[in-house]
Amino acid sequence: MSEPEGTHDDRVGPPHRGTERETLRAFLDYHRATLAMKCAGLTDEELRRRSMPPSTLTLLGLVRHMAEVERAWFRRVFEDHDAPMVWSKEIDFQAAYDASASTRAEAFGAWEAEVETSRRIEREAESLDLVGHQPRWDEEVSLRMVMVHVLLEYGRHNGHADLLREGVDGAVGA
């Protein structure tokens, strides 16, 4: 019996003895890969399925939300404080969850672009002590704090993705 596509696990785990930066980078990429894995093999309709009524949360909504998170915590903090959000004119993270008219191509295109921008910002930083300005808080934050915060966001939402994927086709694991 073959395993459902959403449970095939080819993610690369973090190093067991890496530096702080290598470990944070690897855990973040691991969680990014987890979200992609949870969406693998599903149609646009399945990605938009609200599998936990009455919640409106969907896998595609999570991908859209994480595009906003990546932008808000990397691009807006370290490069362009005035960069518009991806899915709303105001800073409205809830708007991203409405994936009713979205497609895999649209959501993943935006998310993957933001992930690449985040990776570039992190790679170019001399250290985790790089300071940026979080416009939502009107406070300075370190790259270290940003990476941990985004990692926590992925951890939380990947838990949601586990339940959503199981509700769509029964795939469990990872």
Side-chain angles (χ1 to χ4, degrees), residues 3-171:
E3 61 186 13
E5 189 169 343
T7 61
H8 177 73
D9 191 352
D10 58 0
R11 298 169 297 164
V12 176
H16 294 176
R17 295 179 49 92
T19 66
E20 178 185 18
R21 191 165 188 173
E22 290 166 342
T23 302
L24 286 172
R25 180 186 293 154
F27 265 108
L28 199 47
D29 281 339
Y30 183 83
H31 274 281
R32 289 168 173 150
T34 299
L35 181 58
M37 182 182 78
K38 286 298 171 181
C39 297
L42 298 178
T43 66
D44 286 358
E45 181 182 332
E46 289 169 324
L47 289 169
R48 288 189 299 263
R49 187 173 300 157
R50 297 174 179 176
S51 63
M52 302 293 289
S55 173
T56 59
L57 193 61
T58 66
L59 286 165
L60 209 54
L62 287 175
V63 172
R64 288 167 48 105
H65 174 71
M66 292 312 297
E68 294 283 40
V69 168
E70 294 273 359
R71 179 172 287 194
W73 284 97
F74 284 96
R75 184 187 305 242
R76 288 178 51 90
V77 168
F78 298 107
E79 285 191 342
D80 181 0
H81 306 312
D82 297 319
M85 297 302 283
V86 182
W87 311 109
S88 67
K89 293 188 189 305
E90 298 81 32
I91 299 174
D92 179 4
F93 285 90
Q94 295 303 310
Y97 288 122
D98 181 8
S100 57
S102 188
T103 64
R104 172 189 292 277
E106 174 195 46
F108 273 84
W111 176 62
E112 289 165 356
E114 291 305 318
V115 165
E116 284 310 309
T117 296
S118 299
R119 285 179 176 143
R120 178 186 49 75
I121 289 167
E122 185 271 322
R123 278 191 316 266
E124 291 175 357
E126 287 187 33
S127 80
L128 294 174
D129 295 324
L130 174 70
V131 173
H133 182 78
Q134 175 43 273
R136 288 179 63 210
W137 296 351
D138 194 26
E139 290 184 24
E140 291 188 342
V141 295
S142 70
L143 177 58
R144 177 183 295 101
M145 185 274 170
V146 167
M147 290 180 76
V148 170
H149 181 86
V150 174
L151 181 59
L152 291 172
E153 285 275 338
Y154 274 103
R156 175 178 185 226
H157 293 306
N158 281 339
H160 298 140
D162 284 339
L163 295 171
L164 288 164
R165 179 63 190 247
E166 184 177 4
V168 170
D169 68 357

